Amino acid sequence: MSVDTELREIAERQASRYPDSLIAAQGWTRAELVDAIHQHLRNSYARKRDSGQLERDEDGRIRFREPRQRSRRRGDRRRGGDAAAGSAVGCPTPRKLIFPTEASAELFLTHAAYEGRRYRPIRSYLCHCGSWHVTSRPERTVDREGGAS
């Protein structure tokens, strides 16, 4: 089996984990998602092949070593601030997931599988850039004295 065929199979397996409604909320088709994951895997394979970070199991199948966890304090977020995240020009949080409408962000919240994880998005909000994001922080409330809590 060629490396490209194997990477395509991995991409199809990864894409099958996402429900159609979540993919549609991002404005993608399943084929586009598979293609994007496949392209990412090919780029990652080339980088890791060149640096010697690939592993093969007893059957000769490719395995990527587990990546190190990055610190959130260094600005690590869920998405890269480039084409992977969409076109968030002037967005103060360009690495966050971007939704074109409030409805698509709310649809994501209903289908996101975050049970048992520390981060679980609970609401959507309109960003300064005009896109919608999701956050795990509760909405701020104002107390009787006028201060935010």
Side-chain angles (χ1 to χ4, degrees):
M1 176 184 303
S2 75
V3 171
D4 197 55
T5 303
E6 190 173 347
L7 292 176
R8 184 71 177 191
E9 287 180 3
I10 294 169
E12 288 171 355
R13 279 196 309 269
Q14 288 180 355
S16 70
R17 296 177 184 163
Y18 297 95
D20 289 333
S21 56
L22 180 59
I23 296 169
Q26 287 289 345
W28 290 38
T29 64
R30 184 162 299 279
E32 289 172 330
L33 178 62
V34 169
D35 289 342
I37 293 171
H38 184 225
Q39 182 62 42
H40 172 76
L41 290 173
R42 282 194 309 206
N43 293 342
S44 183
Y45 173 82
R47 240 186 357 265
K48 291 183 179 192
R49 179 193 61 218
D50 296 342
S51 66
Q53 295 179 352
L54 290 178
E55 295 178 352
R56 288 195 174 266
D57 61 16
E58 300 81 39
D59 299 331
R61 295 183 62 91
I62 300 167
R63 274 189 356 156
F64 294 108
R65 290 185 185 160
E66 290 296 318
R68 290 181 296 165
Q69 292 290 332
R70 289 193 239 166
S71 170
R72 291 188 135 247
R73 291 181 184 178
R74 292 189 320 209
D76 182 38
R77 297 249 168 99
R78 302 197 71 238
R79 296 279 182 213
D82 52 12
S87 57
V89 177
C91 181
T93 55
R95 293 182 176 187
K96 283 191 170 187
L97 289 171
I98 295 172
F99 300 92
T101 64
E102 181 179 16
S104 61
E106 292 295 325
L107 184 62
F108 173 82
L109 289 174
T110 61
H111 294 289
Y114 285 92
E115 285 78 23
R117 295 195 178 173
R118 198 173 105 200
Y119 169 82
R120 177 168 170 68
I122 58 172
R123 67 180 180 89
S124 61
Y125 67 94
L126 181 61
C127 182
H128 300 291
C129 69
S131 296
W132 288 83
H133 298 299
V134 294
T135 184
S136 60
R137 293 184 180 182
E139 198 161 6
R140 288 180 144 190
T141 59
V142 178
D143 60 13
R144 292 182 187 190
E145 286 79 36
S149 61

